Amino acid sequence: MRFSEDFDAIYIRYSDQLYRYIYTSVKDAYLAEDLTGEVFLRVWKKWKDIKQDFIQALLYKTAKNIVIDYYRSRKNKKNVSLEETVEMGLEPSYDEDLIEKINKDTNIQMITGAMSKLPENLKEVLVLRFVNDLSAKEAGEILNISEGNVRVLQYRALNKLKEVLKNGK
Amino acid sequence: MENELIKELLKSGASSKEAEELSQLTKVFDGLKVERSYLLKRKFLEGEIREQKRFIPRWFLAPALAFALVILVGGLTAAKAQSSLPGDPLYPLKRATEEAISIIDPSFNNQILQRRSEEVEKVSQQESPKKLNKAVGEYKKALENENVSDKTIEESQKKLEKVEETVKEQDKEKIKNLIQESEKKQEEVKKKIEDQNKDNQIKDNEDLKIKNSTEF
């Protein structure tokens, strides 16, 4: 069995965004690929009941939950559970060239390291707004806050990042 | 995007210099704007998905496991309760189990009386007057049951007689009374059986008479 055409289109459109969002949290390019696949498989399971108007926010929320599950399982010293991937019998694949590039890029390492020192809400705003280029409205929908709040947070986040980078040098 | 961001930052309270600076800072994120290969994406989408139908639905698993656990713990506790003695915390469970069995099978009351006599024997070795009193009380209760046979009473009585020989002086009287009560009950049961036999014989004779008179 394969996915439906509309699901394929959603995957093509959003999977890179989610990969970047997850990568900035887990800082492991292979794991980010696994968890991105897990996000889409979890969404696919409920595809028939999903309102596609809100698909972007739903994908990010699912990704956030999966990352939380990952940290929880790591804290409990359990193996990372890729429930849907295992259940659906999918073999994980990776873009080895890209992963090599990410792992060697000192700029990427520096910025992800700096972002990890920020509070979670500020880090999320930076990723949504400046890594994934979402509008303040889209970011607000994902974070369940108003556009105005997104702007306030991004101002605070950029200042904080500037401070972290300055101190890091 | 850059101009828009500067406007947004100004609205948020940044000075124009600060807004300009922060807007420039966002360039550090450019390296993170990675894109995975189209081939990788197609591979994910075209991979065969083996949708496994669960034989047991997931929502059913947790309550089923909880139920199985309750049964298991209940079963283990009930099994452990069978070796408990009067005064032990699990003893009421043992009595409840016995009562349930005796409702289904009244002859089980014979076994109950035997168990009570064994309990008196065991408790008498524990030097606990409180427990011995309880065991004696439980024996008396079991003795009152109508379904107990005279043979079982005799067997349990023999056991009590052995206890009487070994028990401490201060408890001898209790066991002695118990044996007496047991003997009394045995007599009652025997008499009841004899009366029943007599009644049956009279009835048989009457039946025979009626049969003979009709044949003539």
Side-chain angles (χ1 to χ4, degrees):
Chain A
M1 201 200 94
R2 285 164 205 266
F3 304 107
S4 61
E5 270 179 34
D6 49 355
F7 183 86
D8 282 8
I10 294 291
Y11 181 83
I12 298 283
R13 185 170 168 195
Y14 292 107
S15 66
D16 283 338
Q17 277 188 38
L18 289 165
Y19 178 81
R20 298 190 284 254
Y21 174 78
I22 293 170
Y23 174 76
T24 52
S25 279
V26 298
K27 295 191 282 288
D28 177 328
Y30 286 101
L31 181 63
E33 186 64 55
D34 290 341
L35 297 182
T36 305
E38 186 75 5
V39 171
F40 281 91
L41 294 176
R42 201 176 279 188
V43 168
W44 171 243
K45 271 190 117 178
K46 292 173 185 170
W47 190 242
K48 282 175 198 163
D49 310 316
I50 285 170
K51 282 182 184 172
Q52 288 184 35
D53 303 348
F54 306 104
I55 191 68
Q56 181 171 256
L58 178 83
L59 285 168
Y60 274 98
K61 277 169 193 165
T62 309
K64 193 173 180 175
N65 287 336
I66 283 175
V67 170
I68 291 169
D69 287 349
Y70 161 72
Y71 280 116
R72 204 171 285 155
S73 60
R74 211 175 66 159
K75 200 178 167 189
N76 297 336
K77 290 178 182 169
K78 284 181 189 164
N79 289 330
V80 180
S81 138
L82 296 172
E83 231 173 83
E84 316 303 339
T85 312
V86 172
E87 192 179 312
M88 292 186 181
L90 276 182
E91 281 292 317
S93 314
Y94 306 99
D95 185 341
E96 296 288 353
D97 293 341
L98 177 76
I99 290 176
E100 200 187 338
K101 190 185 151 221
I102 291 173
N103 289 339
K104 281 184 178 170
D105 192 325
T106 49
N107 183 42
I108 291 180
Q109 305 308 319
M110 182 263 296
I111 191 68
T112 48
M115 278 203 291
S116 66
K117 287 176 185 157
L118 302 185
E120 193 56 35
N121 61 339
L122 299 187
K123 189 181 86 180
E124 268 189 314
V125 167
L126 291 180
V127 176
L128 297 177
R129 290 287 281 128
F130 309 116
V131 178
N132 285 343
D133 293 327
L134 300 189
S135 68
K137 190 180 173 226
E138 286 172 313
E141 275 169 10
I142 292 161
L143 301 171
N144 269 335
I145 54 175
S146 67
E147 276 183 67
N149 273 342
V150 171
R151 291 196 188 102
V152 171
L153 285 181
Q154 77 186 9
Y155 173 47
R156 215 177 285 166
L158 285 169
N159 264 321
K160 194 96 184 150
L161 182 73
K162 192 175 107 183
E163 201 180 299
V164 171
L165 288 171
K166 208 174 159 187
N167 293 336
K169 273 179 187 172
Chain B
M1 175 76 188
E2 210 177 298
N3 286 339
E4 228 173 84
L5 179 63
I6 290 173
K7 275 184 204 166
E8 283 177 13
L9 291 169
L10 287 171
K11 265 191 195 172
S12 303
S15 66
S16 49
K17 193 188 166 197
E18 193 185 12
E20 184 69 39
E21 232 178 69
L22 293 178
S23 161
Q24 288 297 314
L25 180 68
T26 59
K27 285 183 180 153
V28 294
F29 297 112
D30 289 349
L32 268 173
K33 291 176 183 175
V34 292
E35 283 181 8
R36 289 136 65 247
S37 73
Y38 184 73
L39 197 70
L40 176 81
K41 291 172 194 166
R42 289 291 355 149
K43 217 170 169 185
F44 176 86
L45 294 172
E46 283 160 19
E48 281 295 318
I49 298 173
R50 196 177 64 235
E51 266 194 312
Q52 293 174 345
K53 290 269 177 251
R54 282 174 184 268
F55 183 65
I56 304 166
R58 196 176 296 182
W59 60 263
F60 180 73
L61 278 178
L65 279 175
F67 182 69
L69 198 68
V70 168
I71 296 289
L72 183 72
V73 171
L76 288 175
T77 315
K80 181 112 178 67
Q82 298 315 305
S83 58
S84 63
L85 294 172
D88 287 350
L90 286 178
Y91 191 74
L93 184 63
K94 179 184 185 177
R95 293 284 296 112
T97 319
E98 286 174 347
E99 264 172 44
I101 299 171
S102 66
I103 290 167
I104 303 161
D105 176 15
S107 70
F108 187 71
N109 285 296
N110 289 312
Q111 213 173 314
I112 292 177
L113 186 68
Q114 277 176 344
R115 284 183 181 198
R116 295 302 86 92
S117 63
E118 281 164 16
E119 284 166 9
V120 171
E121 189 184 5
K122 282 179 188 167
V123 166
S124 70
Q125 292 160 5
Q126 286 187 359
E127 293 182 14
S128 165
K130 215 174 176 183
K131 278 192 174 181
L132 185 64
N133 284 343
K134 277 187 182 168
V136 167
E138 291 294 339
Y139 183 89
K140 281 181 188 171
K141 268 189 220 166
L143 200 61
E144 280 165 17
N145 193 283
E146 283 181 5
N147 296 302
V148 180
S149 73
D150 61 328
K151 215 175 171 185
T152 312
I153 299 173
E154 200 181 330
E155 279 169 19
S156 59
Q157 212 170 283
K158 277 178 190 167
K159 206 164 272 170
L160 291 178
E161 280 162 4
K162 275 186 192 170
V163 175
E164 196 193 2
E165 285 168 20
T166 54
V167 83
K168 277 190 168 183
E169 206 58 43
Q170 65 211 44
D171 295 327
K172 262 197 170 51
E173 197 60 31
K174 281 180 205 165
I175 306 296
K176 206 176 174 183
N177 285 340
L178 206 57
I179 296 168
Q180 278 170 359
E181 273 190 47
S182 211
E183 281 170 348
K184 206 174 145 192
K185 175 76 180 181
Q186 195 187 2
E187 287 306 315
E188 276 174 27
V189 174
K190 271 184 183 171
K191 197 172 176 290
K192 201 177 166 188
I193 293 168
E194 275 170 20
D195 289 348
Q196 253 176 8
N197 284 343
K198 271 181 195 169
D199 285 350
N200 287 343
Q201 216 171 352
I202 293 165
K203 211 180 166 193
D204 285 348
N205 286 341
E206 276 174 2
D207 286 347
L208 197 68
K209 270 181 194 171
I210 294 163
K211 199 183 167 192
N212 287 339
S213 64
T214 48
E215 271 178 9
F216 284 110

